[in-house]
Short mmCIF file of all heavy atoms in Angstrom, two decimals:
data_model
loop_
_atom_site.label_atom_id
_atom_site.label_comp_id
_atom_site.label_asym_id
_atom_site.label_seq_id
_atom_site.Cartn_x
_atom_site.Cartn_y
_atom_site.Cartn_z
N LYS A 22 -153.18 -23.26 -101.59
CA LYS A 22 -152.43 -23.25 -102.81
C LYS A 22 -151.02 -22.72 -102.56
O LYS A 22 -150.89 -21.69 -101.87
CB LYS A 22 -153.12 -22.43 -103.89
CG LYS A 22 -152.38 -22.35 -105.26
CD LYS A 22 -153.17 -21.51 -106.21
CE LYS A 22 -152.43 -21.38 -107.54
NZ LYS A 22 -152.23 -22.68 -108.22
N GLY A 23 -149.99 -23.40 -103.04
CA GLY A 23 -148.60 -22.92 -102.89
C GLY A 23 -147.93 -23.47 -101.64
O GLY A 23 -146.73 -23.30 -101.47
N TYR A 24 -148.67 -24.11 -100.74
CA TYR A 24 -148.04 -24.70 -99.56
C TYR A 24 -147.12 -25.84 -99.99
O TYR A 24 -147.46 -26.56 -100.94
CB TYR A 24 -149.14 -25.23 -98.63
CG TYR A 24 -148.63 -25.88 -97.32
CD1 TYR A 24 -148.10 -25.08 -96.30
CD2 TYR A 24 -148.64 -27.27 -97.20
CE1 TYR A 24 -147.64 -25.67 -95.14
CE2 TYR A 24 -148.15 -27.86 -96.02
CZ TYR A 24 -147.65 -27.06 -95.04
OH TYR A 24 -147.19 -27.65 -93.85
N PRO A 25 -145.91 -26.03 -99.42
CA PRO A 25 -145.40 -25.43 -98.15
C PRO A 25 -144.58 -24.18 -98.31
O PRO A 25 -144.33 -23.47 -97.31
CB PRO A 25 -144.58 -26.56 -97.56
CG PRO A 25 -144.03 -27.25 -98.68
CD PRO A 25 -145.10 -27.23 -99.79
N LEU A 26 -144.05 -23.86 -99.50
CA LEU A 26 -143.11 -22.76 -99.60
C LEU A 26 -143.77 -21.40 -99.70
O LEU A 26 -143.28 -20.40 -99.18
CB LEU A 26 -142.20 -22.98 -100.80
CG LEU A 26 -141.17 -24.13 -100.67
CD1 LEU A 26 -140.32 -24.23 -101.93
CD2 LEU A 26 -140.28 -23.92 -99.44
N ASP A 27 -144.91 -21.30 -100.41
CA ASP A 27 -145.49 -19.95 -100.67
C ASP A 27 -147.02 -20.05 -100.65
O ASP A 27 -147.66 -19.93 -101.66
CB ASP A 27 -145.03 -19.46 -102.01
CG ASP A 27 -145.44 -18.01 -102.26
OD1 ASP A 27 -145.67 -17.28 -101.27
OD2 ASP A 27 -145.55 -17.62 -103.43
N PRO A 28 -147.61 -20.33 -99.46
CA PRO A 28 -149.07 -20.48 -99.37
C PRO A 28 -149.80 -19.20 -99.66
O PRO A 28 -149.44 -18.12 -99.20
CB PRO A 28 -149.29 -20.94 -97.91
CG PRO A 28 -148.10 -20.49 -97.17
CD PRO A 28 -146.98 -20.50 -98.12
N ARG A 29 -150.91 -19.33 -100.41
CA ARG A 29 -151.75 -18.17 -100.71
C ARG A 29 -152.76 -18.00 -99.63
O ARG A 29 -153.29 -18.92 -99.06
CB ARG A 29 -152.45 -18.44 -102.06
CG ARG A 29 -153.17 -17.19 -102.60
CD ARG A 29 -153.66 -17.43 -103.99
NE ARG A 29 -154.80 -18.34 -104.04
CZ ARG A 29 -155.28 -18.87 -105.17
NH1 ARG A 29 -154.69 -18.61 -106.29
NH2 ARG A 29 -156.39 -19.67 -105.11
N LYS A 30 -153.07 -16.73 -99.31
CA LYS A 30 -154.03 -16.43 -98.25
C LYS A 30 -155.19 -15.60 -98.77
O LYS A 30 -155.10 -14.97 -99.85
CB LYS A 30 -153.32 -15.62 -97.13
CG LYS A 30 -152.17 -16.37 -96.47
CD LYS A 30 -151.47 -15.53 -95.40
CE LYS A 30 -150.27 -16.29 -94.82
NZ LYS A 30 -149.62 -15.47 -93.73
N GLY A 31 -156.33 -15.62 -98.08
CA GLY A 31 -157.41 -14.79 -98.42
C GLY A 31 -158.51 -15.44 -99.23
O GLY A 31 -159.49 -14.79 -99.60
N ASP A 32 -158.38 -16.73 -99.50
CA ASP A 32 -159.45 -17.44 -100.26
C ASP A 32 -160.59 -17.80 -99.34
O ASP A 32 -160.39 -18.36 -98.24
CB ASP A 32 -158.88 -18.72 -100.87
CG ASP A 32 -157.88 -18.41 -102.02
OD1 ASP A 32 -158.25 -17.60 -102.91
OD2 ASP A 32 -156.80 -18.98 -102.02
N ALA A 33 -161.83 -17.53 -99.76
CA ALA A 33 -163.02 -17.83 -99.00
C ALA A 33 -163.24 -19.33 -98.90
O ALA A 33 -163.09 -20.07 -99.88
CB ALA A 33 -164.25 -17.16 -99.62
N ILE A 34 -163.70 -19.78 -97.74
CA ILE A 34 -163.92 -21.20 -97.49
C ILE A 34 -165.44 -21.45 -97.39
O ILE A 34 -166.14 -20.76 -96.64
CB ILE A 34 -163.25 -21.68 -96.15
CG1 ILE A 34 -161.77 -21.34 -96.16
CG2 ILE A 34 -163.49 -23.14 -95.92
CD1 ILE A 34 -161.11 -21.46 -94.80
N SER A 35 -165.92 -22.39 -98.15
CA SER A 35 -167.37 -22.70 -98.15
C SER A 35 -167.58 -24.19 -97.90
O SER A 35 -166.70 -24.96 -98.03
CB SER A 35 -168.00 -22.27 -99.47
OG SER A 35 -167.45 -23.02 -100.55
N GLY A 36 -168.85 -24.48 -97.52
CA GLY A 36 -169.21 -25.89 -97.37
C GLY A 36 -168.80 -26.53 -96.04
O GLY A 36 -168.81 -27.77 -95.94
N LEU A 37 -168.44 -25.72 -95.09
CA LEU A 37 -168.04 -26.27 -93.79
C LEU A 37 -169.24 -26.95 -93.10
O LEU A 37 -170.22 -26.27 -92.86
CB LEU A 37 -167.42 -25.21 -92.89
CG LEU A 37 -166.03 -24.70 -93.32
CD1 LEU A 37 -165.67 -23.42 -92.57
CD2 LEU A 37 -165.00 -25.78 -93.08
N PRO A 38 -169.11 -28.23 -92.72
CA PRO A 38 -170.26 -28.86 -92.10
C PRO A 38 -170.27 -28.57 -90.58
O PRO A 38 -169.25 -28.18 -89.99
CB PRO A 38 -169.95 -30.35 -92.31
CG PRO A 38 -168.43 -30.42 -92.33
CD PRO A 38 -167.97 -29.11 -92.95
N ALA A 39 -171.40 -28.77 -89.98
CA ALA A 39 -171.51 -28.69 -88.52
C ALA A 39 -170.77 -29.85 -87.92
O ALA A 39 -170.76 -30.99 -88.47
CB ALA A 39 -172.95 -28.68 -88.08
N ASN A 40 -170.17 -29.70 -86.73
CA ASN A 40 -169.51 -30.80 -86.11
C ASN A 40 -170.55 -31.85 -85.66
O ASN A 40 -171.69 -31.50 -85.30
CB ASN A 40 -168.72 -30.31 -84.86
CG ASN A 40 -167.46 -29.54 -85.25
OD1 ASN A 40 -166.95 -29.74 -86.35
ND2 ASN A 40 -166.92 -28.81 -84.31
N ALA A 41 -170.10 -33.10 -85.69
CA ALA A 41 -171.01 -34.20 -85.31
C ALA A 41 -170.30 -35.00 -84.24
O ALA A 41 -169.12 -34.76 -83.89
CB ALA A 41 -171.34 -35.08 -86.52
N ALA A 42 -171.02 -35.98 -83.66
CA ALA A 42 -170.41 -36.82 -82.60
C ALA A 42 -169.20 -37.62 -83.09
O ALA A 42 -168.31 -37.88 -82.33
CB ALA A 42 -171.47 -37.77 -82.05
N ASP A 43 -169.20 -37.92 -84.39
CA ASP A 43 -168.11 -38.75 -84.94
C ASP A 43 -167.23 -37.98 -85.91
O ASP A 43 -166.40 -38.58 -86.59
CB ASP A 43 -168.66 -40.00 -85.60
CG ASP A 43 -169.51 -39.69 -86.83
OD1 ASP A 43 -169.89 -38.49 -87.01
OD2 ASP A 43 -169.76 -40.61 -87.63
N ALA A 44 -167.37 -36.67 -86.01
CA ALA A 44 -166.57 -35.90 -86.98
C ALA A 44 -166.50 -34.43 -86.60
O ALA A 44 -167.48 -33.86 -86.16
CB ALA A 44 -167.17 -36.10 -88.36
N CYS A 45 -165.31 -33.86 -86.77
CA CYS A 45 -165.07 -32.43 -86.49
C CYS A 45 -164.15 -31.87 -87.58
O CYS A 45 -163.21 -32.58 -87.99
CB CYS A 45 -164.48 -32.20 -85.12
SG CYS A 45 -165.57 -32.50 -83.73
N VAL A 46 -164.36 -30.65 -87.94
CA VAL A 46 -163.44 -29.94 -88.81
C VAL A 46 -162.67 -28.90 -87.95
O VAL A 46 -163.26 -27.95 -87.51
CB VAL A 46 -164.14 -29.21 -89.99
CG1 VAL A 46 -163.13 -28.51 -90.83
CG2 VAL A 46 -164.89 -30.25 -90.83
N PHE A 47 -161.40 -29.20 -87.72
CA PHE A 47 -160.61 -28.30 -86.88
C PHE A 47 -159.87 -27.30 -87.80
O PHE A 47 -159.29 -27.63 -88.82
CB PHE A 47 -159.57 -29.08 -86.09
CG PHE A 47 -160.20 -29.96 -85.07
CD1 PHE A 47 -160.20 -31.37 -85.23
CD2 PHE A 47 -160.83 -29.48 -83.96
CE1 PHE A 47 -160.77 -32.23 -84.31
CE2 PHE A 47 -161.42 -30.32 -83.02
CZ PHE A 47 -161.37 -31.70 -83.22
N HIS A 48 -159.98 -26.01 -87.43
CA HIS A 48 -159.36 -24.94 -88.23
C HIS A 48 -157.89 -24.75 -87.80
O HIS A 48 -157.57 -24.91 -86.64
CB HIS A 48 -160.10 -23.65 -88.00
CG HIS A 48 -161.48 -23.61 -88.61
ND1 HIS A 48 -161.86 -22.58 -89.42
CD2 HIS A 48 -162.52 -24.46 -88.52
CE1 HIS A 48 -163.11 -22.79 -89.80
NE2 HIS A 48 -163.58 -23.94 -89.25
N ALA A 49 -157.07 -24.43 -88.79
CA ALA A 49 -155.67 -24.13 -88.53
C ALA A 49 -155.35 -22.74 -89.10
O ALA A 49 -155.38 -21.76 -88.43
CB ALA A 49 -154.77 -25.23 -89.06
N GLY A 50 -155.10 -22.70 -90.45
CA GLY A 50 -154.78 -21.46 -91.08
C GLY A 50 -156.04 -20.77 -91.61
O GLY A 50 -156.22 -20.65 -92.82
N THR A 51 -156.91 -20.33 -90.73
CA THR A 51 -158.12 -19.58 -91.13
C THR A 51 -158.24 -18.31 -90.31
O THR A 51 -157.68 -18.19 -89.22
CB THR A 51 -159.41 -20.42 -90.97
OG1 THR A 51 -159.70 -20.54 -89.53
CG2 THR A 51 -159.28 -21.78 -91.57
N ALA A 52 -158.99 -17.35 -90.89
CA ALA A 52 -159.27 -16.09 -90.16
C ALA A 52 -160.75 -15.78 -90.36
O ALA A 52 -161.31 -16.06 -91.41
CB ALA A 52 -158.43 -14.96 -90.68
N PRO A 53 -161.39 -15.22 -89.36
CA PRO A 53 -162.80 -14.83 -89.52
C PRO A 53 -162.93 -13.72 -90.55
O PRO A 53 -162.09 -12.81 -90.61
CB PRO A 53 -163.22 -14.40 -88.12
CG PRO A 53 -161.97 -14.02 -87.42
CD PRO A 53 -160.89 -14.89 -88.02
N ALA A 54 -164.00 -13.76 -91.32
CA ALA A 54 -164.33 -12.74 -92.28
C ALA A 54 -165.79 -12.66 -92.41
O ALA A 54 -166.51 -13.57 -92.08
CB ALA A 54 -163.65 -12.99 -93.63
N GLU A 55 -166.29 -11.55 -92.98
CA GLU A 55 -167.72 -11.37 -93.14
C GLU A 55 -168.28 -12.42 -94.08
O GLU A 55 -167.81 -12.60 -95.21
CB GLU A 55 -168.03 -9.96 -93.69
CG GLU A 55 -169.50 -9.63 -93.64
CD GLU A 55 -169.75 -8.16 -94.02
OE1 GLU A 55 -168.82 -7.37 -93.96
OE2 GLU A 55 -170.91 -7.83 -94.35
N GLY A 56 -169.26 -13.22 -93.63
CA GLY A 56 -169.86 -14.21 -94.48
C GLY A 56 -169.27 -15.57 -94.31
O GLY A 56 -170.00 -16.57 -94.17
N ALA A 57 -167.94 -15.69 -94.41
CA ALA A 57 -167.29 -16.99 -94.31
C ALA A 57 -165.84 -16.82 -93.94
O ALA A 57 -165.25 -15.80 -94.28
CB ALA A 57 -167.42 -17.73 -95.65
N PRO A 58 -165.25 -17.80 -93.25
CA PRO A 58 -163.81 -17.67 -92.94
C PRO A 58 -162.97 -17.74 -94.20
O PRO A 58 -163.44 -18.25 -95.25
CB PRO A 58 -163.56 -18.92 -92.01
CG PRO A 58 -164.63 -19.87 -92.36
CD PRO A 58 -165.82 -19.07 -92.73
N VAL A 59 -161.79 -17.22 -94.14
CA VAL A 59 -160.83 -17.24 -95.27
C VAL A 59 -159.57 -17.89 -94.88
O VAL A 59 -159.23 -18.03 -93.67
CB VAL A 59 -160.57 -15.81 -95.79
CG1 VAL A 59 -161.84 -15.17 -96.26
CG2 VAL A 59 -159.89 -14.95 -94.69
N THR A 60 -158.81 -18.34 -95.90
CA THR A 60 -157.53 -19.02 -95.61
C THR A 60 -156.55 -17.96 -95.11
O THR A 60 -156.49 -16.83 -95.59
CB THR A 60 -156.95 -19.68 -96.89
OG1 THR A 60 -156.77 -18.63 -97.90
CG2 THR A 60 -157.94 -20.74 -97.43
N ALA A 61 -155.73 -18.36 -94.12
CA ALA A 61 -154.80 -17.44 -93.52
C ALA A 61 -153.46 -18.11 -93.14
O ALA A 61 -152.68 -17.61 -92.37
CB ALA A 61 -155.40 -16.81 -92.24
N GLY A 62 -153.20 -19.24 -93.75
CA GLY A 62 -151.97 -19.95 -93.49
C GLY A 62 -151.84 -21.14 -94.46
O GLY A 62 -152.68 -21.38 -95.29
N GLY A 63 -150.73 -21.89 -94.26
CA GLY A 63 -150.44 -23.00 -95.16
C GLY A 63 -151.41 -24.18 -95.03
O GLY A 63 -152.06 -24.61 -95.98
N ARG A 64 -151.45 -24.70 -93.82
CA ARG A 64 -152.41 -25.78 -93.51
C ARG A 64 -153.71 -25.12 -93.00
O ARG A 64 -153.68 -24.44 -91.97
CB ARG A 64 -151.82 -26.75 -92.50
CG ARG A 64 -150.65 -27.55 -93.12
CD ARG A 64 -150.08 -28.57 -92.18
NE ARG A 64 -149.49 -27.92 -91.01
CZ ARG A 64 -149.20 -28.55 -89.87
NH1 ARG A 64 -149.46 -29.85 -89.72
NH2 ARG A 64 -148.65 -27.92 -88.88
#
């Protein structure tokens, strides 16, 4: 939220699927946190 000028950080991310042979979710603006990663950047 707020990207590109003022992205918000710290929102919990849920529903991330396991990587498959034909699909991957690559992280960019994330940080590890207890329970689930959180947003840590614009993209």
